[in-house]
Amino acid sequence: MRRCLCCLLLLLGLVSPTALALDEESAAQAAQTQSEAFGFDDLERIGEAYTGQADIAGGVDVPGAFRHVGQTAKDNLGQVVKTAVRSCVLLLAVTLLWGLAQGMQAGAGESGGLEAITLAAVLAITAVAVGDVHSLLSLGEEAIYNMETLGDVLLPAVSMATAASGSPAMAVVKHGATILFSDFLLRLIHSLLIPLCYAFVAANVAWAALANEGLKRLAGFLKWLITMVLSVVLLVFVGYLNLSGVISGGADAATVKAAKFTLSNLVPVVGGVISDTAETLLAGAAILRNAAGVFGMLAVLGICVAPFLNLGAHYLLYKGTAALAATAAGSGRLTGLIEALGTAFGLILAMTASCAVLLTVAMVSAVSAVG
């Protein structure tokens, strides 16, 4: 009996005193009221720059948002390729000069100055690449910060819409889990993974300069540690969402069913009308929840498009440069260093992508919630 009364109060709170029957105009007004109550105005203000959309309640223009994201990618692509190609040409030139010097010394029968030349080449490669590593790491951090700012507005809005659409338990569970894991992942990235990425680059530079195999093994361990931490956090997050979603979804379905039965049968005269009205409001909240979820996923895509282009282009071109350098100078320390620098860009990309995946999975999970 206490459960039925709680359900009754929950649904009565969704029904305005004057809305015993919703016509088309009043339904639109109710949707607008719900949109304002859920805080969609702030979400639209933050996400408009990334999606080109400014009206969630009126419907998200998905093709238009994709065109906006595509235009952003097009605007960045030329500069991205130009910067990456310039760095890779310089790296390839250093490697070719080192190979030429090595060949000349071998032809002259001298080998005493080879280590000094190798050290100079390592320093030259590091000088060329350090600017790319630092700027792209900063770009990844900026994207992560933007996703954090978006999530601070997006997650409460979607959670409120999910609760109002008939899934309060699921909203609490999934919102709490997303906040917990996103904060944990951000702290890990800023305090642990980014310093580890710098340590990975430093270990590879030291290995290339000193030819110490222990440093190479250390770099391999740092790479494994970064990827393992990201993978474990995401796997635990997805597993928790799936498990808690099944439990809370069943509880929500039973609650809504009990509330509708209570309203229809225990409220005199107008019980059926109130129940139908509450169901309409629940459906409206579900539509807003879905629109906000789609808008959020598009905004995440808009945030990530420029960093992904930069990091992906540098990753591929550095790997390609290492392959070309190997044909001219052999698969030695210089080639290994260039390849390791490309791997560093891949690690930064993985950190940024992990934050994007976490937010996207949370949105998909919220949109798929059924009350």
Side-chain angles (χ1 to χ4, degrees):
M1 185 62 184
R2 290 172 59 187
R3 180 179 178 180
C4 290
L5 289 175
C6 290
C7 298
L8 174 62
L9 291 174
L10 172 65
L11 286 182
L12 282 176
L14 295 173
V15 183
S16 62
T18 60
L20 291 179
L22 290 177
D23 55 21
E24 191 170 323
E25 181 181 352
S26 58
Q29 185 178 1
Q32 183 62 34
T33 302
Q34 286 179 322
S35 175
E36 294 173 359
F38 299 155
F40 281 9
D41 291 343
D42 292 335
L43 178 58
E44 290 166 349
R45 176 177 52 81
I46 292 176
E48 183 178 1
Y50 307 117
T51 63
Q53 307 291 306
D55 185 13
I56 298 177
V60 180
D61 181 10
V62 177
F66 275 112
R67 285 193 298 271
H68 182 84
V69 173
Q71 186 61 45
T72 302
K74 182 180 177 180
D75 293 341
N76 284 271
L77 186 59
Q79 184 61 35
V80 166
V81 173
K82 180 180 177 181
T83 303
V85 168
R86 182 178 57 196
S87 296
C88 290
V89 167
L90 291 174
L91 294 176
L92 193 58
V94 171
T95 307
L96 291 174
L97 288 174
W98 177 84
L100 180 61
Q102 184 184 35
M104 291 175 62
Q105 283 201 336
E110 300 177 1
S111 59
L114 185 59
E115 282 301 317
I117 295 174
T118 301
L119 179 59
V122 168
L123 293 176
I125 290 175
T126 304
V128 171
V130 68
D132 287 340
V133 173
H134 180 71
S135 63
L136 291 177
L137 199 54
S138 299
L139 188 64
E141 285 187 285
E142 182 183 359
I144 292 170
Y145 173 77
N146 290 336
M147 282 187 279
E148 181 183 11
T149 303
L150 176 68
D152 288 341
V153 178
L154 176 63
L155 294 176
V158 174
S159 296
M160 291 178 65
T162 301
S165 65
S167 303
M170 186 173 292
V172 171
V173 168
K174 294 189 175 182
H175 181 222
T178 305
I179 293 295
L180 174 65
F181 278 93
S182 61
D183 285 347
F184 180 64
L185 182 59
L186 288 171
R187 287 179 181 274
L188 272 179
I189 288 174
H190 289 300
S191 62
L192 178 64
L193 299 185
I194 288 178
L196 286 180
C197 191
Y198 277 119
F200 170 79
V201 173
N204 278 288
V205 171
W207 162 73
L210 303 175
N212 187 322
E213 288 299 316
L215 292 170
K216 186 176 182 181
R217 291 179 179 273
L218 175 62
F221 170 74
L222 293 174
K223 174 188 172 184
W224 173 84
L225 182 60
I226 292 171
T227 55
M228 182 59 64
V229 168
L230 292 174
S231 300
V232 168
V233 171
L234 289 179
L235 285 174
V236 173
F237 172 67
V238 173
Y240 180 80
L241 277 188
N242 288 335
L243 179 62
S244 61
V246 171
I247 298 172
S248 59
D252 284 332
T255 299
V256 171
K257 184 177 180 180
K260 289 175 64 178
F261 176 82
T262 302
L263 286 171
S264 298
N265 294 277
L266 297 185
V267 178
V269 184
V270 295
V273 176
I274 295 177
S275 178
D276 292 341
T277 301
E279 187 172 356
T280 302
L281 290 173
L282 292 175
I287 293 172
L288 289 176
R289 175 202 64 196
N290 296 345
V294 172
F295 181 83
M297 288 184 278
L298 291 171
V300 170
L301 178 61
I303 290 172
C304 292
V305 61
F308 277 23
L309 277 177
N310 273 278
L311 291 165
H314 280 79
Y315 173 79
L316 293 175
L317 287 174
Y318 267 64
K319 292 290 187 181
T321 301
L324 288 175
T327 63
S331 55
R333 286 179 280 164
L334 296 187
T335 304
L337 176 58
I338 296 173
E339 187 172 2
L341 291 169
T343 301
F345 298 134
L347 293 175
I348 303 168
L349 180 61
M351 296 178 205
T352 309
S354 297
C355 294
V357 167
L358 191 147
L359 265 181
T360 303
V361 168
M363 291 304 98
V364 172
S365 181
V367 168
S368 63
V370 179

